[in-house]
Amino acid sequence: MLLDQFLSHQKFPRILILRLSSIGDVLQASPVARELRKAFPSAYISWLIESKSQEVIQDNSNLDSVFVWPRKEWNAEAKKTGDYHALVRKNLAFVKQIRKEKFQISIDLHGMFRSGLLGYLSGAKYRLCLPNSREYAEHFANVKVKTGNFPTVFSRYLSVLKEFGIHRTEPEMEMQISLCDERFAMEFMANYGLKKKGFFILNPATSQPNKCWSTDKFAKLGDMLVDTYQLPILLLGAKSDRPLTKKIVDGMRHKPIDATGLVNLKQLGAITKQARTFISGDTGPLYIAQAVGTPTVAIFGPTNANYYSLEKKNHIFIQGRDACTNNVTIIELYRAVRQLMP
């Protein structure tokens, strides 16, 4: 029986979505869950993700469950102890847990060998794979998804939905913020004297050095924004980003609030939701800001802004000339922020 025939007879399909990482990619794939829920309101929909990115998909109202695979932690433990038999046992037990859910359809939105293998091992009869995948992931699939040249990352993810008869889709990312995280944000803001929509966020770090805008430029931009709007600057980032944000703190005349390493991803989302504008390079927190509806100014260098960015009036991206992030000027960023101000 073909997938469309199966869906015409099955009102309660059990669907497993696989997008294992990273933060931005998971959020960009999140519209798939929403569109499936709209088309199949009684379906059982689950998401399989690695532990580092789990916070951005947990509590998603379109999902019935989330499987968290601590792949890197298990691998690190096996390397440390030398007990690779234990690693195999853990992974087999994890697969057994997935198979208990009796998924009928798996959708591999990661498009690599390990995600394709997990989709196959899930026991799903109908297996789809992201078009233009890598590492032979498509060989684990048995439902053909059309390949092609996709203008945006969202169109690539959403293309798999055509196999479900879903043709009209919206590339709206989603990240649910809990009441607990909302309360944390309110307390955090009160502690630092921040008001709703009354502060700018600078997020200077990215996962790759060639995606980072210079700290000197961030510092000068921060001072320009404070001089113009008399609104404070909040610096965010992971604990490992502290050397980077310290340079910005040291370089600014108007000392910013440095919360680097003090909040988790959910808390970052809750705080960001209250900000006036979020200014960042191409990195996970940028897409968290877009998912929670905060206006963003994004700095792109080696990655294609047209491919990864949402075309929305409250999200502005600036592509560095010659694919170089630091070719973006301070005045370009400043004008973009001014454009978003009421």
Side-chain angles (χ1 to χ4, degrees), residues 9 18 28 41 87 171 213 234 240:
H9 292 89
L18 302 98
Q28 288 161 347
L87 175 63
W213 205 44
L234 174 64
S240 58

Side-chain angles (χ1 to χ4, degrees), residues 50-70:
E50 292 185 14
S51 51
K52 185 177 180 180
S53 303
Q54 64 177 303
E55 287 181 82
V56 298
I57 206 67
Q58 282 179 335
D59 304 317
N60 188 302
S61 60
N62 299 304
L63 301 174
D64 295 288
S65 65
V66 176
F67 284 95
V68 179
W69 184 27

Side-chain angles (χ1 to χ4, degrees), residues 117-333:
L117 178 60
L118 282 169
Y120 177 80
L121 293 175
S122 72
K125 181 178 180 180
Y126 301 96
R127 301 182 300 278
L128 295 81
C129 183
L130 189 69
N132 305 336
S133 58
R134 295 178 290 166
E135 298 180 353
Y136 303 103
E138 70 277 5
H139 292 293
F140 293 106
N142 59 7
V143 177
K144 183 71 173 176
V145 177
K146 288 184 179 179
T147 59
N149 295 318
F150 299 100
T152 68
V153 66
F154 301 100
S155 61
R156 183 179 176 221
Y157 285 130
L158 291 167
S159 68
V160 302
L161 296 177
K162 293 178 181 179
E163 305 305 319
F164 294 83
I166 304 170
H167 297 279
R168 297 187 64 181
T169 56
E170 291 293 331
E172 294 288 345
M173 295 181 286
E174 293 187 19
M175 179 176 171
Q176 268 73 34
I177 304 297
S178 70
L179 287 175
C180 180
D181 293 317
E182 295 277 11
R183 284 195 293 269
F184 175 89
M186 293 300 105
E187 291 174 6
F188 176 94
M189 290 165 60
N191 288 339
Y192 288 101
L194 298 174
K195 296 180 180 180
K196 183 177 180 180
K197 301 302 177 184
F199 60 99
F200 297 106
I201 293 178
L202 302 185
N203 183 77
T206 70
S207 59
Q208 301 172 32
N210 63 345
K211 288 185 177 183
C212 290
W213 205 44
S214 79
T215 53
D216 180 60
K217 288 182 177 179
F218 265 117
K220 290 177 180 176
L221 174 66
D223 278 331
M224 289 173 69
L225 294 175
V226 177
D227 287 338
T228 303
Y229 298 105
Q230 287 76 54
L231 297 179
I233 301 294
L234 174 64
L235 299 177
L236 291 179
K239 189 180 295 185
S240 58
D241 302 327
R242 283 176 177 167
L244 203 65
T245 53
K246 185 179 184 302
K247 291 180 181 179
I248 297 174
V249 173
D250 292 343
M252 285 185 64
R253 290 181 287 105
H254 304 286
K255 292 308 175 188
I257 299 164
D258 188 2
T260 310
L262 299 183
V263 299
N264 62 33
L265 292 177
K266 285 283 194 182
Q267 293 164 348
L268 182 147
I271 294 167
T272 297
K273 190 176 180 180
Q274 305 302 323
R276 175 68 259 168
T277 309
F278 189 94
I279 303 152
S280 173
D282 175 23
T283 187
L286 169 68
Y287 301 103
I288 291 177
Q290 293 179 353
V292 300
T294 297
T296 63
V297 175
I299 310 158
F300 280 80
T303 46
N304 185 344
N306 288 304
Y307 183 72
Y308 288 102
S309 294
L310 280 172
E311 291 188 12
K312 300 286 184 179
K313 63 180 180 180
N314 62 338
H315 300 308
I316 297 175
F317 61 83
I318 302 175
Q319 183 85 55
R321 293 176 298 282
D322 301 320
C324 179
T325 306
N326 274 314
N327 281 341
V328 176
T329 65
I330 299 170
I331 196 64
E332 284 179 296
L333 264 290

